[in-house]
Amino acid sequence: MKIRLWPRSLIGQLVFAVALMLFVAQAINFALLVRGQKQQTLAHGGGMAVARIIDAVDRDRRGDFRGAPDPRRSAHDERENPRKLVISDRPVAVPTGAVRLPELSDYVADLLNEADMQAQAVDAWALPQRPRLRPNFPGRTVIVSAKIDNRYIAVRSRIQTGGNRLQGFLVWQTLSLYLLLLIPIMVIAWRAAAPLRDLTRAARSNPALRDATPIEEEGPSDVRDLIIAFNAYRGRIATMLSDKDRMLGAVGHDLRTPLASLRVRVEQVDDDALRDKMVASIEEMAAMLTDILALARSGAGTEAREPVALRGLVEELAADYRERGKDVTVAAAADAAVMARPLLLRRALRNLIDNAATYGVCARLSVERAAGEVRIIVSDDGPGLTDEQIRTLIEPFARGEGSRNRATGGSGLGLSIARDIAEGEGGTLTLVNRADCGLDAVMALPTAT
């Protein structure tokens, strides 16, 4: 299963991008704050320790510790009587459980070098946490030992603690930024995406339906400009389709008139064989003209949509074909209705039945209910079609039989007319090979509400 991290919608992409950038920015901010806090901690604890070490070295060099308790007492005594300052010729014993702090050691060594105190070795340890006797005095006690002039000087200092407080502050800061930025961005993106969704629905609609109602111009200026351009574009399409219908009407009238006149004159030909051939040619031309006009006008016309009961329709069509000697039956028909133009729907189904009866030996009609749609299936027992034939046969003038003789087929417009009628009614037409044998022509139409 492929996981898609990048959202598809405009709102999702904007929110995801802003959230990701905020996360990156907060991560950088967190790293800088942690580093700054660490530097502050080192400066506080290390600076105090360096000041005490320098003071102890100066006083030791002046002999100010004469008469004081012997600083060279054993490490055991020092652990029992801890003091802030220890001067000894031996390394300071580290208490049990102390944690070495190499960063503090390096920081103290650098400060001592800057103060011209050449330290041969510097070590630092953090003592184990103990219950605080003074709640207002936070931090941990550390021991810093420096070897200067072959003498070990150990002092005590404190380093601040409070990383959890910093993390909590960053969490609340991040949540606040998300609320302050993402909510306005989501509102702006929704305001821009709402008219785009309306524009998408309008663009997906069938232009043959002649629905040229302008989309309301709303949203940002860029989106409004796009909607204005789309409305003008759709208006030009509607005008072109209307001009096409008028032109086709004129062509159909102008061609049918001379064909009818020619048919009358052909009847005066004495040669019966020649007259029959001429009449057949004229009828073929008239039938082809009818198909072409039907294809061009499949989405137009003034016929109103109305609920059509499909069970009664398919039974009526099957009975009509059986009266003409065609093997057309109703396999199964559910009680379902669709909103459609009855004459166009009847013509589409007749085209499918004609193809099944001509090329597939017989035709079986069935009506099935599906989610939100009704499927009218015309099945045959023919050899089926290849994938290439299925792709090409629904195009105008494409035929499964290679010749152009109407005795062996039609003009190649039947499936194209049926497809355009189905799409004009808001549905689809698909051709599917059955597993056993034969072909199913499936017209799916929206259920009547």
Side-chain angles (χ1 to χ4, degrees):
M1 180 179 179
K2 186 178 180 180
I3 301 177
R4 181 181 294 273
L5 298 179
W6 186 251
R8 292 184 177 181
S9 64
L10 174 63
I11 298 178
Q13 291 182 4
L14 285 176
V15 172
F16 182 81
V18 173
L20 181 62
M21 292 301 101
L22 281 178
F23 178 80
V24 173
Q26 286 299 95
I28 296 175
N29 186 30
F30 178 77
L32 293 177
L33 286 177
V34 169
R35 181 172 179 176
Q37 186 184 42
K38 183 181 294 184
Q39 292 295 327
Q40 183 180 4
T41 300
L42 293 177
H44 177 77
M48 184 185 301
V50 169
R52 291 178 178 177
I53 290 174
I54 293 175
D55 180 68
V57 171
D58 290 341
R59 293 171 62 187
D60 186 57
R61 289 174 178 177
R62 293 195 306 265
D64 292 346
F65 290 110
R66 296 172 184 175
D70 186 10
R72 297 176 179 83
R73 66 179 64 187
S74 65
H76 177 73
D77 294 336
E78 291 295 339
R79 286 195 299 270
E80 292 180 352
N81 300 291
R83 298 181 305 170
K84 292 184 178 180
L85 173 64
V86 176
I87 301 177
S88 174
D89 293 331
R90 293 172 296 174
V92 178
V94 181
T96 304
V99 180
R100 185 179 295 274
L101 303 176
E103 294 182 351
L104 182 59
S105 304
D106 297 337
Y107 184 81
V108 171
D110 292 338
L111 290 181
L112 290 175
N113 290 332
E114 292 177 1
D116 294 330
M117 289 285 180
Q118 301 299 324
Q120 289 84 20
V122 178
D123 285 317
W125 300 271
L127 297 182
Q129 289 277 29
R130 295 180 180 178
R132 295 178 182 173
L133 299 178
R134 299 168 59 184
N136 296 328
F137 194 64
R140 296 186 64 181
T141 302
V142 295
I143 297 178
V144 179
S145 172
K147 183 180 180 181
I148 302 175
D149 298 335
N150 294 324
R151 299 263 285 173
Y152 290 92
I153 301 174
V155 298
R156 292 196 175 203
S157 181
R158 296 190 70 83
I159 58 174
Q160 296 179 350
T161 58
N164 294 332
R165 183 180 302 175
L166 175 63
Q167 295 175 4
F169 168 75
L170 286 175
V171 169
W172 283 110
Q173 184 187 54
T174 302
L175 292 177
S176 301
L177 288 175
Y178 277 158
L179 293 177
L180 292 175
L181 292 179
L182 292 183
I183 292 179
I185 289 176
M186 291 177 65
V187 173
I188 295 173
W190 179 85
R191 182 172 176 266
L196 288 178
R197 287 192 292 267
D198 296 337
L199 182 62
T200 301
R201 285 192 293 267
R204 287 175 177 172
S205 63
N206 190 352
L209 299 178
R210 317 299 171 90
D211 182 13
T213 304
I215 303 175
E216 184 178 356
E217 299 168 6
E218 57 182 354
S221 60
D222 296 337
V223 178
R224 288 199 303 269
D225 292 340
L226 177 61
I227 294 176
I228 292 172
F230 178 80
N231 287 334
Y233 180 69
R234 191 162 63 165
R236 290 195 297 269
I237 292 178
T239 302
M240 292 173 59
L241 291 175
S242 299
D243 293 341
K244 181 206 67 170
D245 292 340
R246 287 193 295 269
M247 180 191 67
L248 289 173
V251 169
H253 179 271
D254 293 343
L255 288 180
R256 281 197 174 97
T257 300
L259 284 176
S261 177
L262 185 59
R263 172 65 187 272
V264 173
R265 293 178 182 178
V266 166
E267 294 296 336
Q268 301 176 4
V269 177
D270 296 333
D271 190 340
D272 294 339
L274 179 60
R275 184 176 63 251
D276 293 341
K277 291 181 180 179
M278 295 174 67
V279 169
S281 299
I282 293 173
E283 290 179 349
E284 182 178 355
M285 293 174 61
M288 185 176 295
L289 177 61
T290 301
D291 288 343
I292 292 174
L293 293 177
L295 174 64
R297 293 177 175 175
S298 58
T302 59
E303 185 183 8
R305 284 185 171 84
E306 61 183 59
V308 179
L310 296 181
R311 181 174 182 177
L313 177 61
V314 297
E315 290 178 350
E316 180 183 349
L317 288 174
D320 184 40
Y321 274 92
R322 284 196 300 269
E323 290 178 359
R324 291 185 285 165
K326 301 289 187 179
D327 187 3
V328 178
T329 58
V330 177
D335 288 328
V338 296
M339 288 295 296
R341 288 168 286 189
L343 294 180
L344 287 179
L345 181 58
R346 185 184 297 268
R347 181 178 182 85
L349 293 178
R350 284 187 178 276
N351 289 348
L352 298 179
I353 296 172
D354 288 338
N355 281 340
T358 302
Y359 300 106
V361 181
C362 66
R364 289 186 303 276
L365 310 181
S366 57
V367 178
E368 297 178 355
R369 290 179 176 272
E373 65 180 14
V374 180
R375 296 174 183 174
I376 309 172
I377 305 174
V378 180
S379 305
D380 62 50
D381 293 335
L385 298 172
T386 64
D387 294 339
E388 181 64 24
Q389 288 176 322
I390 290 177
R391 285 193 297 269
T392 59
L393 281 180
I394 59 175
E395 298 301 326
F397 302 104
R399 296 182 56 196
E401 192 269 331
S403 70
R404 288 291 168 184
N405 185 3
R406 289 188 64 87
T408 60
S411 58
L413 296 175
L415 288 177
S416 298
I417 294 173
R419 178 197 62 182
D420 289 353
I421 292 175
E423 293 178 352
E425 303 302 324
T428 59
L429 174 64
T430 55
L431 304 179
V432 182
N433 285 312
R434 292 201 307 277
D436 49 0
C437 184
L439 183 74
D440 287 345
V442 182
M443 180 182 294
L445 299 176
T447 303
T449 56

